[in-house]
Amino acid sequence: MAEDLYAILELSRNATEAEIKKSYRRLARQYHPDVNKDAGAEARFKEVQKAYTILSDPQRRAQYDQFGVTDDSPGGGGGQGFDGFGSGFEDIFDAFFGGGGRSSSRRGPRRGEDLRYDLEMTLEEVASGTNKEINIFHLESCGTCHGDGRKPGTSKSTCSHCHGAGQVKTVQRTLLGAFSQVVPCGHCHGTGEIVTNPCTTCRGSGSEKKRKTLTVDIPAGVDRGTKLRVSGEGNYGEPGSEPGDLYVFITVKEHQYFSRDGDNVHLEIQVPFAKAILGTEVEVLTLHGKAMLKVPEGTQSGTVFKLRGKGIPRLRGGGSGDQLVRVKVKTPTQLSSKEKKLIEENRRNYGVLAF
């Protein structure tokens, strides 16, 4: 179950922005690891930071109020294999001095959040490259208000705090002296306008969560941990900004026969004792089909042969790796009386086994 972000900040669900900020600053001072050395203080401090990051943002707070989670809130997630990605904590400078961190100095509408999707592939798909169809949930522009946040047919009001300027001047008094700065208005978030009649669909956030099916082109040669960017398929941002991106993280299933070593693959085969002594040609599996492997006479168990170019294509071009085939000579465990007689005669005559 998702944690209650309001409870973490010791607030009610109808808390104002000022109350959220005040409670955060108080709790940040109380649990900061440099101040509080009690066990669990650091974890509590991180919880407080995380809760404030979400509840101090009107868009993410509206999403949390509507869905109970956000894409990166505690206990949240964006669906199977899918999660929020890329939002950092508030700068601790803001907790103690009330502004001047990265968030408070922002100008203009904020870009949408990046998202993450974990995709599992087979080694055969890695070797050939493929197209994968995936389903994601992300924030899109609200279909009712088209991202404006207000109820259709209504208008916005001029912000009474900044009188439409979108900025306010603040003076912070610290041990180092008084600091004056101009920052975006915290009530209208720098727009100069306030939504007095919010959209009933998105509750004024300007976005709503929707499911979307995408086809992702996976090039040959990817490996575990490879990250592919799908531009513009992350969360919807503030009106007038760019949407975030979707990042597809690759994992690769363990294979029944092959193991991977960079661009090379390894395979172990068994060759009957007689064929290893006399020499033979055997058909072996590769990630690209079947191939013939020549096993010279007298091959010893543990010998490794190379099939050039039968490994994994190099992700940035330049050909492919090799397939390394390790031969395990299969020694017979049961012989007929005739076979035993032949071996014994061979041993007496030559002192070696001829098959």
Side-chain angles (χ1 to χ4, degrees), residues 10 14 37 40 58 80 89 137 156 226 276 291 296 310 338 342:
E10 300 177 0
N14 60 354
K37 302 299 182 181
Q80 186 175 2
F89 293 139
F137 288 88
K156 295 182 179 180
T226 297
K310 296 297 184 181
K338 183 178 179 179
L342 288 172

Side-chain angles (χ1 to χ4, degrees), residues 7-298:
I8 290 175
L9 291 182
E10 300 177 0
L11 295 167
S12 65
R13 299 188 72 86
N14 60 354
T16 64
E17 293 180 7
E19 290 172 334
I20 291 173
K21 190 170 187 177
K22 181 178 179 181
S23 182
Y24 165 64
R25 295 163 93 181
R26 174 178 60 82
L27 293 171
R29 292 189 186 96
Q30 181 179 348
Y31 292 106
H32 192 277
D34 291 342
V35 177
N36 192 329
K37 302 299 182 181
D38 294 341
E42 183 175 358
R44 179 79 170 109
F45 176 72
K46 291 180 179 179
E47 285 184 344
V48 169
Q49 282 188 309
K50 191 70 170 179
Y52 177 73
T53 299
I54 294 168
L55 296 184
S56 63
D57 184 297
Q59 179 175 313
R60 297 171 74 188
R61 181 182 180 182
Q63 182 189 353
Y64 174 78
D65 290 341
Q66 185 173 359
F67 295 104
V69 296
T70 68
D71 291 317
D72 57 357
S73 66
Q80 186 175 2
F82 177 71
D83 202 355
F85 179 72
S87 274
F89 293 139
E90 281 287 316
D91 195 320
I92 190 59
F93 186 88
D94 183 62
F96 291 96
F97 299 102
R102 287 170 292 182
S103 295
S104 62
S105 61
R106 175 176 55 86
R107 293 294 187 271
R110 190 179 67 176
R111 178 180 178 274
E113 293 174 316
D114 293 334
L115 298 176
R116 170 175 176 154
Y117 187 99
D118 292 304
L119 178 64
E120 187 176 54
M121 300 178 61
T122 65
L123 200 56
E124 286 83 358
E125 290 173 330
V126 167
S128 62
T130 186
N131 292 322
K132 283 285 190 178
E133 193 173 85
I134 64 174
N135 294 308
I136 66 169
F137 288 88
H138 66 176
L139 294 179
E140 296 184 4
S141 174
C142 175
T144 301
C145 67
H146 305 290
D148 193 50
R150 58 187 172 89
K151 185 177 180 179
T154 65
S155 59
K156 295 182 179 180
S157 303
T158 300
C159 177
S160 60
H161 293 268
C162 66
H163 305 290
Q167 297 178 334
V168 293
K169 183 178 180 180
T170 63
V171 177
Q172 302 296 325
R173 301 185 183 280
T174 72
L175 296 175
L176 302 177
F179 292 88
S180 176
Q181 61 179 168
V182 176
V183 298
C185 177
H187 294 269
C188 66
H189 305 285
T191 64
E193 296 178 311
I194 295 291
V195 175
T196 53
N197 293 288
C199 171
T200 56
T201 300
C202 65
R203 301 178 67 179
S205 69
S207 62
E208 56 181 330
K209 202 162 197 174
K210 294 182 180 179
R211 175 176 175 171
K212 187 172 184 178
T213 300
L214 301 172
T215 299
V216 181
D217 182 24
I218 312 294
V222 295
D223 202 352
R224 184 184 304 272
T226 297
K227 180 175 67 174
L228 304 175
R229 182 171 68 94
V230 185
S231 180
E233 294 297 347
N235 275 342
Y236 175 77
E238 294 178 352
S241 70
E242 294 287 332
D245 297 325
L246 172 68
Y247 286 88
V248 179
F249 282 71
I250 302 297
T251 58
V252 183
K253 294 179 182 178
E254 295 293 330
H255 199 280
Q256 182 178 1
Y257 304 113
F258 296 100
S259 60
R260 180 175 181 176
D261 179 17
D263 297 322
N264 296 330
V265 293
H266 295 261
L267 176 70
E268 184 175 276
I269 63 170
Q270 288 190 338
V271 175
F273 182 76
K275 291 185 177 181
I277 294 296
L278 299 175
T280 187
E281 192 172 15
V282 295
E283 186 179 73
V284 297
L285 292 174
T286 77
L287 293 173
H288 309 277
K290 294 181 178 180
M292 299 305 296
L293 174 67
K294 184 178 181 180
V295 180
E297 62 181 48

